[in-house]
Amino acid sequence: MQCYTELTPPTAVTHALCCSFVAADSRNLVVAKTSLLQIFALKSVSEDVDTTSPSHARDRKDSQPTDRRILDDEGLDQSFLAADVALERAERSNTTKLVLIGEFSLSGTVTSLAKIKTLESRTGAEALLVATRDAKVSLVEWDPDRHSISTVSIHYYEREDLQASPWASDLSQCISYLTVDPASRCAALAFGGRNLAILPFRQPGDDLVMDDFDADVDADRSAPSHTDARTNGVNPSSKTPYQASFVLPLSALDPLLIHPIHLSFLFEYREPTFGVLSSTVAPSISLLHERRDCLSYTVFTLDLEQRASTTILSVTNLPYDLLRVLPLPLPVGGALLIGTNELVHVDQAGKTNGVAVNTFAKECSSFGMADQATLGMKLEGCVIEAFGTGNGDLLMCLSNGELAILSFRLDGRSVSGLSLRRVSEDHRGRVRTAACTCSASLGRGRIFIGSETNDSTLLGWARRSKQATKRGSIGGGPDQLNGADSDEDQEDDGDDDHEDDLYGEEAADLPGQDRRVSSASSGEGDYTIFPLDVLPNFGSMEDLAFGRPMSTQGEGRESMISNGVMPDLELVTSCGSGRSGGLTVWNRQLTPQLLDQVRFPGVRGIWSVSAKRPTPKGLLQQTGGNSSLDLDGGFGIEGGFDRFMITTKESDREASSAVYAITAKGFEEMKGTEFDPTAGETVEVGTLGGRTRVVQVLRGEIRSYDGDLGLAQIYPMTDEATDEEPNVVSASFADPFVLIIKDDSSVVLLECDDSGDLEEVESDVTGKSWSSGCLYVDLEGIFTSGAAGRGPKTGKSNVMMFLLNAQGGLHVYALGDLSKPVFTFEGVGALPPILSANYVQRRSSPRANIVEILVADLGDRVAKNPCLMLRSVDDVLSIYQSFIASSDDPSTSTEPTLRFLKVLSPQLSVTDSHTSDDAIQANRGTKLRLAEDVNGYCTVFCTGAEPQFLLKNASTSLKCVSLRGSVVRGFSGYHTANCERGFVFIGDDDTLRVAQFPSEIATTETGWSVRRIPLDVNVDALSYHEDMHCYVLGVSEKVGFDLPKDDEFHDDWTEEDIALKPEVDQGSVKLLNQATYTVVDTYSLLPYELILCVTTLSLETSEITHARQSLVAVGTSVSRVMDQAPRGNIYIFAIIPVVPVPGQPETDRRLKLVAREECKGAVTAISPIGTQGFLLAAQGQKLMVRGLKEDRTLLPVAFMDVMCHVGVAKTLPGTGMTLMGDAVRGAWFVGYNEEPYKLTLFGKSGNKLQVRAADFLPDHEQLYIIVADADANLHVLQFDPEHPKSLSGTRLLHHTTFHTGHPTATLTLLPSTIPPSNTETATDTDPPTPPLSHQILLTSPSGSLALLTPLPELLYRRLSALQSHLISTLDHPCGLNPRAYRAAPPTAENVGIHVGTGGRGVLDGKVLGRWVELGVGRRGEVAGRLGLSVQEVGEDLRGVGLLGGGGGGGRGLGFL
């Protein structure tokens, strides 16, 4: 069988919600990305804004501090080009950023989010209702003691007895959504088409009337509408925050609710009240003359005790195209009904006001509406959100990316009209939105817009009004400023001081470029919209191609690949839609941008040093005592460039060190200094005394130098009591201290005094035995005793010392007071999921042998989190993130305490589990290297056989990003004038490389190296042409559709004249140069012709010489009107070299049309077939094998009638095996014979299997077929003519169905680079474990990459047993069942002949990957139940790519 592993998380935002979730005084953004739940906080930060740069609002990783040389001559000349912004170039602006608090992978697809205020919660904040497919609701709250969500209850409404009628639609075919009463009295889940589940919540006065009520006795348990709501992990006798839920059919509310469309709870009612938009007949465009205004809006009030409802009002004869009910709070009130052509407001008295936004509104409805048809808007898929200013204005985001403002004209509390206006380009800055799916108002001038196809954006807004508003309007009074950057509003914030604590600092200011909108050009009450932050989205991945990077082509390519400097291939996928469309380039590992490389034979360690030169006599007096003067010579504090590089190397004779000066020419060895190269091996290098002292830690002594490497002090490491000379193992610096760890488990703490001399700090702590330790500068006061989380501290008390003893106890000391530890964690060796001071490990439990400890800040300039990193002797790195929890013992103390949460546990390299004592001692060195500023990231680099960065930005979780290359022996941060915020590393090839992070590369979102290429068009298909090193793209743009004027049967079409034309896709072929990723040529197609497929294949171009040429085949479809049959074309292009445009060397190639064949029917798929250079085309309802003739026509040689439109056509390379897929008739397995030319049907699947994507998966002697349907399921089929149920192979055997949770866009067969497993638990009679040869890469519109890997039988059995144990052992967010989530019961009509056995399904790599969450003791218990050791389980998981560093389980994709 197979194992399904998600390589990257989904990035498409499907739902968003603003609530106070983490704390009662917090404001959080909750985001759902299909099956990923993320919780963000808002943080106001001050950043440098370069207003002359059009891209200064990009993601925070691209926002660099203003260069200190910005005011040189070149900078002034550039500023004169834009005089109006010259003074703003280096300004600082307050802005709001999203900071990730936690993310949780769910075993379910989120369908709705809602907030609810319960009577009691752990934090006093709001709880969260999460609705998942098909009809499940989970009530969760924040648990501060675990820094995670806690599931209060899960409510299940998928029972068969809850279905109203046998002819009702299946739950999976219905849309379920959640709505909550604004007063938190109840929640309602609409599911199954006509069912409504009501979940009441307890209110403060319920105990007075419910004491005598027993739900188990008094409630009618036999009623099908009664549903129990059970609490997870809570005593059943205790009161839950909710009451017993019940299910009501909508027909019980009103028999006329036959076709419900949407419902929502309304504001400002004493009892729970909701409005329902419905119809007695199904709305139909084709029957518009009979069902013109057939909708009605009815408001019901709900009696929760009696489970009854009362109709308050009903409005009939509403337009047929209304789709949604949006409740509005005061001062507007009522509800806004959203249609496709109009907006209708209904107040609490039933009074209606509407506005038509296009000409179709009046033509399709007789409902009275204000006419704003000149706007020409299309409201399909629009998102509407309130500004939250108190005037009732709404922000509307249309599907084409336009923004509009909806205002209400009030007459007292009655709405007298609606007004809609667009936001002009001058008032929307660099905001680019398209196809939005959700929104959330975050208050204080911030709105979040989520999208499934484009980036999700946190928007800021501002409104300036200089004149009094008209009577009857609530658009703001005189001199009123509404928005985040309101100066006058900030002056009046004296009464709202509590909001400063709620939202942090002042709300986000308008960036400098947007503030330059003059008041004269701004109309009264105009809004200005600007971006604050972005959540990148890498969907929709409709097609992919593998290309060969340009840097690996030409001479020396093989040597570069062998050294691991460049990848062999790159993965390119389509992303975005409309104006935000483009490409995404993926690489599993980070390929650094190399600036220089130098040979350093034998070097094992490197350290770059930034030190201040000694101040010359008299300079301090001449500068008036200003010691921070920056003269580029390193005299002052601001001279932060690195000046030296110290290296150490080992040889057969002895170890030595060397020092090099960093100059503009490179590295020059320094001589004539007091630095002694023969002093021995260097262990660590750092600076103390404000960078006035360079400290070199050697194996046997410590040497201190001044800024010019003049020797100032030698501190020997000899033990005075025993005269022994233990070697130094590691050292840690935190100005003014340095901590020394020796190989005899003794430590030495030294302090640099005011004169620069090192003095030992005497304490009882240093006299004890410690195996490892480090220093950490606690600038935020997180580790300060008795004041955790109360703010930053200064002085020596903010330097913390972490010491780990041999028993696994971690002791934290503040160096200002070494009398007692600040915190003590005794169970560190057990590596528990949550590390707390009260955690006690059992004596018999095993513990990890930890050899290195490091505490460091990880993050970017927006947010950093202190992390505890523990490396064991087998090179498994356990990373813990600190958080503040409530007191461990509330009975003795109420002060908050410090805890650590395990967030990541990668394996850095493969080591022998039976390690000797000498090997353990040798492995105690430093492999974790801290770099405080690498491209704006505070990161830790892990040296060794699998080098990788630990990276995190404010809005993402911690990721391991592998550095491309082989073994890295030394690493250091590197900051010079030629390489700002870069790094240097040296590998086993003795080459030192100076590098930076590549520009425009994102790594923290997915753990992969990702580059976005904007094209501003929608990419439908793409292919790579290897000979010419370019990509061929099939793109489309929206154009207005005109009826054919030459139709002889419709003369009236020539007279058509409408203002709002329907839009269709207009396709074209573009040629993309791989070197620069720019479009160099475009071939325009016929009007309304759309590209369906693009394929590069080797075609035979001559029937005489049988010559082959690499050509590009394009399949298209021309669709005009419904009563005209579509037709298609096959285009054959050659890419030829041409003379480039002067100054544009990338334009040296062009598209040349070789052949064009018109077909009867759309050409939906093209694939190479056979060995003679032919192509297979799916045209109309036929499969056709064609060959290119001498006269440049395509000659058909074989065909097959399939009676369906084939959407997928794949061939197995080197064979004549062909796979076809159709959305109606399932999958077909066809064979192709060349003598004679013939297509033969071998086998078929079930007739109703909806094939979205398909491909072969050969597994040695077995041939599997993987099919992805439209319901996010993977079907594993097999062609086995020897099986008795296959009817001699005419029926494809169905083995299992696996639910992925993400709709699959493409399936691609790839070779696997995973080596065979080395596990030696099989008996002598067992066959050897064969290597993994093939795998399938899956792409999803949600932006997720996944891998389907076949497993040997023995390995599958082990991992299947492990998965069962993990499912029953681990806690699952929202109380969801992973086994039920992945299992999709097959039906005979969908899959045909099912031969799978129970329990033998596709393994879930997400569950197996959670093995690292277990502590050491729990791992041993689970492995013991399987009859294996912990090391054997780890080798099995690593064998399928589930353990390791960066790449997210993609070890099988070594060529990326």
Side-chain angles (χ1 to χ4, degrees):
M1 296 301 289
Q2 298 82 22
C3 178
Y4 175 86
T5 307
E6 287 188 6
L7 304 179
T8 62
T11 57
V13 174
T14 57
H15 300 84
L17 175 69
C18 176
C19 62
S20 300
F21 185 67
V22 175
D25 58 348
S26 66
R27 175 155 296 194
N28 303 113
L29 174 66
V30 181
V31 167
K33 299 178 178 178
T34 312
S35 60
L36 183 68
L37 190 68
Q38 293 182 322
I39 301 171
F40 296 92
L42 303 178
K43 183 177 182 180
S44 180
V45 297
S46 178
E47 63 178 8
D48 291 326
V49 178
D50 185 3
T51 58
T52 63
S53 173
S55 60
H56 74 268
R58 289 179 180 172
D59 190 83
R60 62 181 57 84
K61 67 181 182 299
D62 295 328
S63 300
Q64 304 292 346
T66 304
D67 198 317
R68 63 184 182 86
R69 297 165 295 171
I70 200 169
L71 298 179
D72 57 9
D73 294 337
E74 182 180 359
L76 288 175
D77 293 339
Q78 293 177 353
S79 67
F80 284 135
L81 299 176
D84 56 334
V85 296
L87 298 179
E88 297 179 350
R89 183 173 182 183
E91 73 173 82
R92 298 189 63 83
S93 172
N94 288 333
T95 186
T96 300
K97 298 296 183 181
L98 296 174
V99 179
L100 181 68
I101 297 178
E103 68 176 18
F104 311 94
S105 182
L106 307 181
S107 297
T109 302
V110 177
T111 60
S112 187
L113 294 175
K115 62 181 178 181
I116 195 78
K117 182 64 177 179
T118 58
L119 288 180
E120 296 181 0
S121 64
R122 299 174 186 266
T123 60
E126 295 172 329
L128 186 66
L129 286 171
V130 181
T132 52
R133 184 182 177 186
D134 291 313
K136 295 181 285 290
V137 179
S138 300
L139 176 63
V140 298
E141 63 180 12
W142 184 254
D143 186 357
D145 295 335
R146 297 172 52 246
H147 197 70
S148 177
I149 58 176
S150 175
T151 305
V152 179
S153 63
I154 181 171
H155 308 269
Y156 183 83
Y157 302 103
E158 299 176 4
R159 301 196 325 236
E160 294 182 359
D161 59 340
L162 295 179
Q163 305 305 311
S165 58
W167 56 83
S169 301
D170 188 76
L171 278 179
S172 61
Q173 305 300 324
C174 300
I175 299 177
S176 301
Y177 57 92
L178 196 65
T179 178
V180 174
D181 175 47
S184 298
R185 290 166 291 198
C186 66
L189 176 70
F191 69 98
R194 295 181 178 88
N195 291 332
L196 192 65
I198 307 297
L199 179 61
F201 286 86
R202 299 187 186 277
Q203 301 300 311
D206 289 348
D207 293 339
L208 300 178
V209 296
M210 296 297 291
D211 285 343
D212 298 332
F213 179 80
D214 189 349
D216 295 336
V217 177
D218 299 336
D220 185 9
R221 298 184 61 86
S222 62
S225 61
H226 179 267
T227 303
D228 289 334
R230 304 186 182 275
T231 306
N232 298 344
V234 179
N235 187 357
S237 62
S238 63
K239 288 188 176 181
T240 58
Y242 52 88
Q243 300 175 5
S245 63
F246 56 94
V247 175
L248 291 176
L250 288 178
S251 58
L253 303 178
D254 190 340
L256 297 179
L257 298 179
I258 301 175
H259 297 279
I261 297 176
H262 193 259
L263 63 89
S264 181
F265 279 98
L266 305 178
F267 290 89
E268 303 301 325
Y269 283 92
R270 291 188 176 182
E271 297 294 335
T273 304
F274 57 90
V276 182
L277 186 64
S278 64
S279 175
T280 57
V281 294
S284 174
I285 298 178
S286 60
L287 300 176
L288 187 59
H289 60 286
E290 296 180 1
R291 305 177 184 181
R292 187 176 182 87
D293 295 324
C294 59
L295 299 189
S296 62
Y297 173 72
T298 310
V299 177
F300 299 91
T301 181
L302 191 62
D303 189 344
L304 298 178
E305 296 182 8
Q306 300 299 326
R307 300 183 179 180
S309 63
T310 303
T311 302
I312 295 181
L313 61 89
S314 179
V315 180
T316 59
N317 298 326
L318 293 173
Y320 80 100
D321 57 347
L322 296 177
L323 300 175
R324 181 184 170 196
V325 179
L326 178 65
L328 299 177
L330 291 179
V332 178
L336 182 67
L337 308 182
I338 306 171
T340 58
N341 304 310
E342 67 282 317
L343 298 171
V344 178
H345 177 264
V346 182
D347 64 8
Q348 296 180 352
K351 179 183 175 182
T352 60
N353 289 276
V355 57
V357 300
N358 56 48
T359 56
F360 289 104
K362 293 291 185 179
E363 297 179 5
C364 300
S365 175
S366 301
F367 186 79
M369 294 176 286
D371 188 6
Q372 285 191 271
T374 56
L375 293 174
M377 292 183 177
K378 301 176 182 180
L379 303 185
E380 294 92 341
C382 70
V383 172
I384 300 179
E385 190 59 54
F387 279 105
T389 58
N391 59 6
D393 286 355
L394 304 177
L395 174 66
M396 179 182 297
C397 180
L398 304 182
S399 58
N400 60 359
E402 293 184 348
L403 299 178
I405 308 297
L406 177 63
S407 302
F408 298 88
R409 293 190 298 272
L410 295 183
D411 186 6
R413 294 194 59 180
S414 177
V415 177
S416 60
L418 284 69
S419 176
L420 191 63
R421 64 186 184 276
R422 280 188 171 90
V423 178
S424 63
E425 293 294 334
D426 295 337
H427 290 75
R428 59 179 295 172
R430 299 160 304 278
V431 176
R432 300 184 66 179
T433 58
C436 302
T437 56
C438 59
S439 62
S441 177
L442 304 178
R444 299 296 292 270
R446 293 163 297 200
I447 295 178
F448 178 79
I449 301 294
S451 176
E452 291 189 64
T453 58
N454 301 287
D455 293 344
S456 300
T457 309
L458 177 64
L459 301 178
W461 61 267
R463 184 186 186 191
R464 296 183 181 274
S465 180
K466 295 299 184 181
Q467 299 177 359
T469 58
K470 297 180 180 180
R471 182 174 301 177
S473 173
I474 58 171
D479 299 331
Q480 181 179 357
L481 175 64
N482 297 326
D485 62 337
S486 169
D487 297 335
E488 298 170 65
D489 186 48
Q490 292 171 5
E491 293 176 0
D492 296 337
D493 278 347
D495 298 334
D496 298 327
D497 290 340
H498 63 282
E499 293 186 3
D500 295 336
D501 296 334
L502 179 62
Y503 306 117
E505 302 176 13
E506 294 179 356
D509 282 347
L510 183 66
Q513 180 172 340
D514 298 299
R515 268 205 302 270
R516 290 182 281 105
V517 178
S518 64
S519 59
S521 62
S522 299
E524 178 184 351
D526 281 347
Y527 289 82
T528 300
I529 313 295
F530 49 90
L532 297 175
D533 204 356
V534 172
L535 295 182
N537 179 20
F538 303 109
S540 55
M541 296 189 182
E542 292 299 332
D543 200 4
L544 63 84
F546 287 90
R548 199 172 302 280
M550 289 293 294
S551 299
T552 64
Q553 299 167 0
E555 299 181 358
R557 169 178 168 269
E558 290 78 12
S559 62
M560 296 182 69
I561 294 177
S562 62
N563 291 335
V565 178
M566 296 296 296
D568 191 13
L569 298 174
E570 64 183 12
L571 171 64
V572 179
T573 62
S574 61
C575 68
S577 64
R579 296 187 304 170
S580 301
L583 299 176
T584 303
V585 182
W586 301 77
N587 282 110
R588 192 175 63 90
Q589 296 176 324
L590 175 65
T591 302
Q593 180 181 354
L594 299 180
L595 303 180
D596 192 12
Q597 56 183 16
V598 184
R599 289 278 300 174
F600 282 88
V603 171
R604 294 296 183 268
I606 51 177
W607 295 267
S608 60
V609 181
S610 172
K612 293 193 302 183
R613 291 175 177 172
T615 305
K617 296 181 179 180
L619 179 61
L620 190 61
Q621 299 177 357
Q622 296 175 9
T623 59
N626 183 11
S627 60
S628 61
L629 182 63
D630 184 7
L631 299 177
D632 285 339
F635 297 109
I637 290 180
E638 298 301 329
F641 288 149
D642 295 334
R643 297 177 53 222
F644 311 116
M645 187 182 71
I646 297 177
T647 65
T648 183
K649 62 180 180 180
E650 299 176 357
S651 61
D652 298 336
R653 300 178 180 178
E654 61 181 4
S656 61
S657 302
V659 60
Y660 298 85
I662 300 175
T663 65
K665 298 180 180 179
F667 303 101
E668 298 180 359
E669 186 172 2
M670 297 183 63
K671 297 183 179 180
T673 65
E674 298 181 2
F675 185 89
D676 186 6
T678 62
E681 178 186 357
T682 301
V683 177
E684 188 63 70
V685 176
T687 59
L688 297 176
R691 301 207 326 265
T692 60
R693 285 289 186 268
V694 178
V695 179
Q696 179 190 19
V697 180
L698 303 171
R699 288 295 181 186
E701 63 184 17
I702 298 176
R703 296 195 170 205
S704 177
Y705 304 89
D706 60 18
D708 284 334
L709 296 183
L711 184 61
Q713 184 182 7
I714 298 179
Y715 195 97
M717 289 288 100
T718 305
D719 191 342
E720 298 180 355
T722 60
D723 290 335
E724 296 181 355
E725 296 182 357
N727 290 329
V728 175
V729 175
S730 63
S732 178
F733 288 85
D735 199 6
F737 298 97
V738 56
L739 177 66
I740 306 299
I741 306 294
K742 302 181 182 179
D743 57 2
D744 61 350
S745 298
S746 62
V747 300
V748 175
L749 180 63
L750 303 177
E751 181 181 3
C752 179
D753 57 18
D754 296 336
S755 62
D757 294 336
L758 297 177
E759 297 181 357
E760 184 174 357
V761 178
E762 300 292 340
S763 174
D764 296 337
V765 177
T766 57
K768 300 179 181 179
S769 178
W770 307 99
S771 60
S772 183
C774 69
L775 299 179
Y776 170 74
V777 180
D778 184 18
L779 298 177
E780 299 296 329
I782 296 178
F783 298 95
T784 305
S785 176
R790 292 186 179 179
K793 304 297 177 183
T794 59
K796 297 180 180 179
S797 60
N798 68 348
V799 180
M800 314 302 295
M801 180 171 61
F802 294 78
L803 295 175
L804 182 71
N805 58 29
Q807 292 74 32
L810 178 63
H811 297 256
V812 184
Y813 293 89
L815 295 189
D817 183 11
L818 294 175
S819 59
K820 62 178 182 179
V822 177
F823 294 100
T824 301
F825 305 95
E826 295 296 343
V828 173
L831 300 178
I834 296 180
L835 186 60
S836 61
N838 60 353
Y839 177 81
V840 179
Q841 184 183 6
R842 292 180 296 180
R843 293 184 178 180
S844 59
S845 299
R847 61 171 60 95
N849 191 350
I850 300 174
V851 296
E852 184 178 1
I853 178 175
L854 176 63
V855 178
D857 290 328
L858 295 180
D860 59 2
R861 298 184 183 94
V862 176
K864 297 185 179 74
N865 294 322
C867 293
L868 169 66
M869 286 152 275
L870 307 171
R871 183 177 65 86
S872 61
V873 68
D874 54 353
D875 268 354
V876 174
L877 182 62
S878 299
I879 306 173
Y880 288 83
Q881 180 178 321
S882 63
F883 68 95
I884 303 299
S886 57
S887 176
D888 293 326
D889 189 1
S891 60
T892 59
S893 175
T894 59
E895 291 289 342
T897 186
L898 180 70
R899 292 184 180 180
F900 291 93
L901 174 68
K902 186 189 291 186
V903 294
L904 208 60
S905 185
Q907 185 167 354
L908 304 182
S909 61
V910 180
T911 58
D912 186 6
S913 58
H914 306 286
T915 309
S916 62
D917 293 339
D918 294 339
I920 293 176
Q921 191 67 25
N923 202 19
R924 290 183 63 187
T926 302
K927 288 189 176 182
L928 306 179
R929 309 296 304 175
L930 174 63
E932 296 182 350
D933 190 0
V934 176
N935 196 35
Y937 293 105
C938 186
T939 178
V940 170
F941 183 82
C942 308
T943 61
E946 297 183 5
Q948 51 198 283
F949 286 96
L950 302 179
L951 293 176
K952 181 186 184 304
N953 67 21
S955 61
T956 63
S957 59
L958 184 63
K959 299 292 192 304
C960 284
V961 181
S962 296
L963 178 68
R964 184 164 300 280
S966 55
V967 178
V968 173
R969 298 195 297 249
F971 173 89
S972 177
Y974 191 75
H975 181 52
T976 64
N978 297 327
C979 179
E980 296 187 6
R981 291 175 291 275
F983 57 93
V984 292
F985 64 98
I986 188 168
D988 55 357
D989 57 351
D990 293 336
T991 301
L992 184 140
R993 296 178 172 89
V994 180
Q996 288 178 321
F997 280 1
S999 59
E1000 301 180 356
I1001 293 293
T1003 56
T1004 56
E1005 287 78 10
T1006 62
W1008 286 42
S1009 175
V1010 183
R1011 178 181 178 182
R1012 296 278 292 272
I1013 304 172
L1015 298 176
D1016 298 333
V1017 292
N1018 194 67
V1019 180
D1020 301 316
L1022 69 150
S1023 182
Y1024 179 70
H1025 196 286
E1026 185 173 2
D1027 295 342
M1028 299 300 293
H1029 315 312
C1030 57
Y1031 291 94
V1032 181
L1033 311 178
V1035 303
S1036 62
E1037 296 180 277
K1038 293 293 184 181
V1039 296
F1041 177 77
D1042 291 317
L1043 290 174
K1045 307 300 183 183
D1046 55 350
D1047 192 291
E1048 59 183 1
F1049 300 102
H1050 299 86
D1051 297 335
D1052 55 328
W1053 286 359
T1054 60
E1055 301 177 358
E1056 183 193 30
D1057 184 17
I1058 58 175
L1060 189 64
K1061 297 181 180 180
E1063 292 184 344
V1064 296
D1065 292 322
Q1066 173 62 55
S1068 61
V1069 183
K1070 292 184 180 294
L1071 186 64
L1072 187 77
N1073 190 300
Q1074 188 184 13
T1076 59
Y1077 291 107
T1078 56
V1079 176
V1080 296
D1081 193 17
T1082 300
Y1083 183 88
S1084 299
L1085 302 181
L1086 299 176
Y1088 317 130
E1089 188 172 13
L1090 177 64
I1091 296 176
L1092 300 180
C1093 55
V1094 177
T1095 306
T1096 301
L1097 54 157
S1098 178
L1099 290 182
E1100 181 182 278
T1101 58
S1102 175
E1103 300 175 275
I1104 301 175
T1105 62
H1106 301 288
R1108 296 281 191 93
Q1109 184 178 357
S1110 182
L1111 301 174
V1112 179
V1114 178
T1116 67
S1117 171
V1118 181
S1119 299
R1120 306 184 73 178
V1121 290
M1122 295 180 61
D1123 59 349
Q1124 292 186 358
R1127 55 187 176 87
N1129 292 285
I1130 300 177
Y1131 294 88
I1132 305 296
F1133 292 97
I1135 302 177
I1136 60 175
V1138 296
V1139 177
V1141 177
Q1144 301 179 12
E1146 69 275 7
T1147 61
D1148 58 347
R1149 59 207 72 184
R1150 284 288 186 270
L1151 289 169
K1152 179 184 178 182
L1153 181 62
V1154 176
R1156 174 178 174 266
E1157 186 76 19
E1158 185 173 352
C1159 306
K1160 294 181 179 179
V1163 181
T1164 55
I1166 295 178
S1167 175
I1169 191 171
T1171 61
Q1172 298 180 351
F1174 292 165
L1175 65 85
L1176 174 69
Q1179 52 186 67
Q1181 298 185 10
K1182 294 180 181 293
L1183 276 182
M1184 196 80 69
V1185 179
R1186 293 176 177 270
L1188 185 63
K1189 297 176 60 178
E1190 298 280 354
D1191 58 355
R1192 294 301 182 255
T1193 60
L1194 294 175
L1195 176 67
V1197 297
F1199 75 95
M1200 173 182 286
D1201 288 320
V1202 293
M1203 304 301 294
C1204 60
H1205 292 274
V1206 175
V1208 178
K1210 295 289 185 70
T1211 58
L1212 193 61
T1215 68
M1217 300 180 183
T1218 304
L1219 176 63
M1220 301 182 304
D1222 178 70
V1224 177
R1225 304 191 63 181
W1228 295 24
F1229 179 41
V1230 178
Y1232 170 67
N1233 188 17
E1234 294 180 342
E1235 293 183 4
Y1237 298 117
K1238 184 180 180 182
L1239 290 172
T1240 305
L1241 177 63
F1242 287 162
K1244 295 172 59 178
S1245 67
N1247 291 332
K1248 293 187 178 181
L1249 181 61
Q1250 299 180 1
V1251 179
R1252 180 181 175 92
D1255 208 336
F1256 292 102
L1257 181 59
D1259 186 9
H1260 301 92
E1261 297 181 356
Q1262 306 294 328
L1263 179 60
Y1264 292 97
I1265 296 175
I1266 309 300
V1267 175
D1269 64 13
D1271 202 27
N1273 295 322
L1274 285 182
H1275 301 272
V1276 180
L1277 309 178
Q1278 183 184 10
F1279 176 72
D1280 186 3
E1282 298 180 358
H1283 197 283
K1285 289 187 178 182
S1286 68
L1287 304 180
S1288 300
T1290 59
R1291 292 293 182 266
L1292 298 178
L1293 303 178
H1294 180 272
H1295 281 272
T1296 186
T1297 300
F1298 182 84
H1299 185 70
T1300 63
H1302 312 283
T1304 301
T1306 63
L1307 295 174
T1308 306
L1309 179 65
L1310 298 174
S1312 175
T1313 59
I1314 298 180
S1317 175
N1318 295 325
T1319 305
E1320 299 179 357
T1321 56
T1323 62
D1324 297 336
T1325 59
D1326 290 333
T1329 301
L1332 306 176
S1333 56
H1334 293 90
Q1335 56 195 347
I1336 286 185
L1337 179 67
L1338 300 89
T1339 64
S1340 170
S1342 63
S1344 174
L1345 295 176
L1347 205 60
L1348 188 67
T1349 307
L1351 303 178
E1353 181 64 23
L1354 181 61
L1355 183 58
Y1356 174 81
R1357 291 179 181 178
R1358 295 174 186 165
L1359 296 181
S1360 179
L1362 175 62
Q1363 175 179 284
S1364 300
H1365 281 82
L1366 292 177
I1367 290 177
S1368 59
T1369 301
L1370 297 171
D1371 294 330
H1372 305 289
C1374 295
L1376 300 173
N1377 186 357
R1379 184 180 287 109
Y1381 171 58
R1382 296 303 191 184
T1387 58
E1389 62 180 5
N1390 289 339
V1391 300
I1393 301 176
H1394 180 68
V1395 297
T1397 58
R1400 287 187 61 85
V1402 176
L1403 299 182
D1404 189 355
K1406 181 189 298 184
V1407 175
L1408 294 173
R1410 296 186 63 186
W1411 161 263
V1412 298
E1413 297 181 13
L1414 301 177
V1416 176
R1418 291 294 296 161
R1419 292 185 192 180
E1421 294 177 6
V1422 173
R1425 295 174 185 174
L1426 302 177
L1428 302 173
S1429 65
V1430 175
Q1431 290 77 16
E1432 290 170 342
V1433 173
E1435 291 177 2
D1436 286 347
L1437 294 175
R1438 190 176 179 85
V1440 294
L1442 292 176
L1443 291 184
R1451 293 184 63 235
L1453 304 175
F1455 42 82
L1456 291 179

